[in-house]
Amino acid sequence: MHVAVTGGGGFLGSHLCEALLRRGDSVVCLDNFSTGEPKNIAHLRDNPGFAFIHADVSTAVDVPGPIDAVAHLASPASPPDYLRWPLETLAVGSRGTENCLRLAQRHDARFVLASTSEVYGDPLAHPQEEDYWGNVNPVGPRSVYDEAKRYAEALSAAYRRTRGVNAGILRIFNTYGPRMRPRDGRVVSSFITQALSGEPLTLYGDGKQTRSFCFVDDLVRGIVAMLDSPEGGPFNLGNPEERTVTELAELVLDITGSVSELQYHPLPVDDPARRRPVITRAQERLAWYPDVGIEEGLRRTVEWFAARPREVAAGAAAIRGGQQDGVPAVVSAVP
Ligand code: NAD
Ligand code: UDP
């Protein structure tokens, strides 16, 4: 297949580009490097099947040559990122998604939206099935991401229903792994960065909130299965192994052998209390199930971070500095 991957310079997108090239597809990666980095795809540049277009997909999307599928991953994803770029996040979820749906329509191509468990907001149902409609604060600080993705889902469903676009929706739950930026701000990368630097691990709230963490290789296998399928979804993709944030911190300390202390900070506004996906649909319709448990996934991620001590040290300083500057702004940004 010829696949256009938006956000291909980011964490998940760069792994997706790699997986597609590995199986013989050709890839056009579109990115504006707002939260991604050129080095994520530097090793792919010499591959004859790989092309890169520097573009803001919220403005316009044009790709020369044939396209069989569009994987739309472009969007800030880490809370500190989307809080820093609220309007850009809304733009890429809305205009960006419509530009990509139109690209798919012009090429009669498959379209896959990387949506998120955030469409469930702070869920009142647990675990979360796809039929649950969610509990999102439409004007809270996180709404720029949650509502953008909800609108992106509505657009994708409407293009499928009324414009004949073969669009499918994936709701991705917390995914981690190599190539996350040490300064990214999401919990796994922050805890590993802090543990390896001997800095306190910053737990927000009482650390009893839960997330279900999926290793990147598993997740990317799910995206590829969705690209190959005609299903509309939405399908949850994630690892149902649920952990509290405190349990995650302890696991990271164990794996890194760090003696960093646990330090408690205020809980960000609207931070969801619980998250665990029901993945029966993806299992039945995509034959997808995650293989990598949290201990194994964390070990592989820690190994990758540990091999980059300078970036990790800079990341730890940036996280510390960000917290001093009030980032993540979600801690203080009351609407
Ligand atoms: P990331 O920030 O590493 O990657 C996002 C990429 O999109 C970056 O390379 C960024 O530069 C690019 N981008 C942002 N706005 C753009 C624009 N207007 N035009 C072109 N490129 C743009 O984040 P990620 O974790 O790789 O997430 C990728 C996608 O998966 C996002 O859509 C995110 O919402 C979704 N997702 C991720 C997770 C997760 O846990 N990683 C969970 C749920 C959903
Ligand atoms: N979190 C934390 N310390 C950090 C970063 C995040 O305790 O340094 C918490 C955060 O408040 C949330 C959970 O970890 O409850 C997951 O946060 P993340 O940013 O990874 O993802 P999301 O909130 O989008 O699920």
Side-chain angles (χ1 to χ4, degrees):
M1 288 207 297
H2 302 288
V3 189
V5 179
T6 76
F11 161 52
L12 289 183
S14 60
H15 285 278
L16 177 63
C17 290
E18 220 172 68
L20 292 169
L21 289 168
R22 211 180 299 127
R23 70 171 196 168
D25 291 343
S26 72
V27 172
V28 179
C29 164
L30 298 105
D31 208 296
N32 66 354
F33 292 128
S34 53
T35 60
E37 295 178 305
K39 67 181 174 208
N40 287 340
I41 49 170
H43 61 298
L44 305 177
R45 296 282 187 135
D46 290 337
N47 188 316
F50 182 78
F52 176 75
I53 300 176
H54 194 285
D56 176 350
V57 299
S58 303
T59 309
V61 181
D62 193 18
V63 178
I67 298 179
D68 304 308
V70 178
H72 179 38
L73 277 70
S75 170
S78 169
D81 284 341
Y82 61 71
L83 293 164
R84 204 174 291 128
W85 291 299
L87 298 178
E88 291 78 359
T89 303
L90 283 160
V92 75
S94 53
R95 291 196 297 276
T97 301
E98 187 146 25
N99 287 337
C100 294
L101 279 160
R102 286 185 178 152
L103 176 74
Q105 186 180 18
R106 286 198 297 278
H107 288 265
D108 198 17
R110 171 70 166 158
F111 174 89
V112 171
L113 173 70
S115 184
T116 168
S117 57
E118 294 287 329
V119 299
Y120 301 124
D122 190 3
L124 303 176
H126 191 76
Q128 292 80 53
E129 294 182 5
E130 289 89 346
D131 289 340
Y132 177 53
W133 292 350
N135 178 39
V136 173
N137 174 355
V139 293
R142 292 175 85 100
S143 66
V144 296
Y145 182 65
D146 301 6
E147 297 289 18
K149 291 288 186 179
R150 288 170 68 98
Y151 180 76
E153 287 200 10
L155 265 182
S156 304
Y159 268 77
R160 184 177 176 95
R161 247 188 330 259
T162 67
R163 300 287 169 94
V165 174
N166 181 13
I169 298 167
L170 291 175
R171 293 183 180 154
I172 300 171
F173 284 62
N174 292 58
T175 301
Y176 67 95
R179 236 177 261 153
M180 288 187 99
R181 292 162 302 164
R183 59 179 301 162
D184 183 279
R186 281 176 278 191
V187 69
V188 174
S189 51
S190 289
F191 283 0
I192 293 177
T193 297
Q194 291 163 336
L196 290 175
S197 312
E199 301 255 349
L201 270 55
T202 51
L203 284 87
Y204 300 158
D206 59 9
K208 290 188 182 145
Q209 69 271 38
T210 68
R211 293 296 186 270
S212 300
F213 298 100
C214 187
F215 188 64
V216 62
D217 291 3
D218 280 338
L219 201 283
V220 164
R221 205 165 29 80
I223 301 180
V224 172
M226 190 63 162
L227 283 168
D228 289 345
S229 151
E231 294 277 357
F235 296 148
N236 289 337
L237 278 193
N239 190 322
E241 238 188 299
E242 184 180 3
R243 300 291 169 122
T244 66
V245 164
T246 302
E247 284 166 350
L248 176 74
E250 284 162 354
L251 265 175
V252 169
L253 291 181
D254 248 23
I255 290 168
T256 53
S258 166
V259 293
S260 289
E261 63 184 41
L262 304 187
Q263 191 181 75
Y264 290 84
H265 289 253
L267 187 70
V269 177
D270 295 336
D271 197 277
R274 294 186 301 175
R275 277 283 164 70
R276 174 153 58 97
V278 174
I279 56 170
T280 321
R281 281 197 195 167
Q283 212 173 338
E284 287 174 358
R285 312 266 184 89
L286 301 177
W288 178 83
Y289 198 85
D291 285 336
V292 183
I294 182 89
E295 284 88 355
E296 173 60 19
L298 283 178
R299 250 189 296 279
R300 292 196 213 170
T301 311
V302 164
E303 203 175 301
W304 189 86
F305 275 67
R308 290 160 181 79
R310 267 187 308 179
E311 283 172 49
V312 166
I319 296 170
R320 196 180 340 108
Q323 272 153 352
Q324 281 154 8
D325 295 347
V327 177
V330 71
V331 170
S332 54
V334 180

